[in-house]
Amino acid sequence: MTGLTRRCSRPLPGALFRFEFARTFFISNPARCQAQRLSFLSLGHLMTLPLTFAIVLIALSSFARAADDAAILDGPNYSFSIRAPDGWHMTSTRQLQAAFYPADKTFESTPVIMYVRSADKAQLHVNNIEELNKFDLRGIQEHHPNAESKKVGSARLSDGKEIPIYSFSGGGYFERVAYAEQSKTITVFVASAEKKDDLKSSEKAFRELVTSYLFISDNVTTPNHP
């Protein structure tokens, strides 16, 4: 089995994310980006969105022209854009809406992966980053009682805001996790590796990933599933 499958055998940071309700719009090709945006957002729909959301979508056209491997992710109460770091590829799996791996590796063989997911505060019954971090740690400790997590630094978003970075260890993997809090959700950025040196080698890419993040709106709804 792949490293990703083993990682997904236990709760992932920001767990209980309902992937089946989420959508990912890859915009690796700028022309395709424009077509995709028009395909899911007609002019009539645009007029019903909050003004700030419409402004951000217009601004994203410039972002898309500059990005070679980017995507707009959305789901209940969140929509944001994210871009693969230089030298990394983006993919989507059944477990992960947006995952990243080094371009000189395959997704199945990479020693380190990164991924981004959104955690809903109300669904998880957490109020802030600190509570989500403890929630994540408890989930890992159910299978690895000696696992621990501690704050190890901070990272800077594209708007200049600093967000905390935590380490996770003792759970079978070495992980670095950053949390960006929004009004209804907390976006979780994760770098995970079996070896500490592999995790350390991804530090620059991890910070590039965090910096590329642009939150768009929390006024997002999804169709009810039968």
Side-chain angles (χ1 to χ4, degrees), residues 3-65:
L4 176 61
T5 301
R6 293 197 300 273
R7 287 186 183 94
C8 291
S9 65
R10 63 166 173 76
L12 299 168
L16 297 184
F17 170 77
R18 303 192 64 183
F19 179 72
E20 67 272 20
F21 288 164
R23 295 174 294 176
T24 305
F25 298 94
F26 286 96
I27 52 177
S28 56
N29 181 287
R32 184 183 304 166
C33 165
Q34 300 294 344
Q36 285 177 327
R37 185 173 299 113
L38 291 175
S39 70
F40 75 86
L41 198 65
S42 69
L43 181 60
H45 291 152
L46 182 63
M47 296 304 292
T48 67
L49 293 172
L51 179 59
T52 53
F53 192 12
I55 291 173
V56 171
L57 282 173
I58 293 171
L60 277 174
S61 63
S62 297
F63 171 86
R65 284 192 293 270

Side-chain angles (χ1 to χ4, degrees), residues 83-86 88 114 201-210:
R83 179 174 57 83
D86 290 341
W88 288 64
M114 299 191 297
S201 70
S202 70
E203 173 74 21
K204 181 175 181 292
F206 182 72
R207 291 183 177 276
E208 286 184 18
L209 181 67
V210 173

Side-chain angles (χ1 to χ4, degrees), residues 82-102:
I82 198 75
R83 179 174 57 83
D86 290 341
W88 288 64
H89 287 323
M90 179 187 299
T91 190
S92 181
T93 74
R94 289 181 61 85
Q95 297 89 2
L96 302 173
Q97 191 180 8
F100 306 84
Y101 63 98

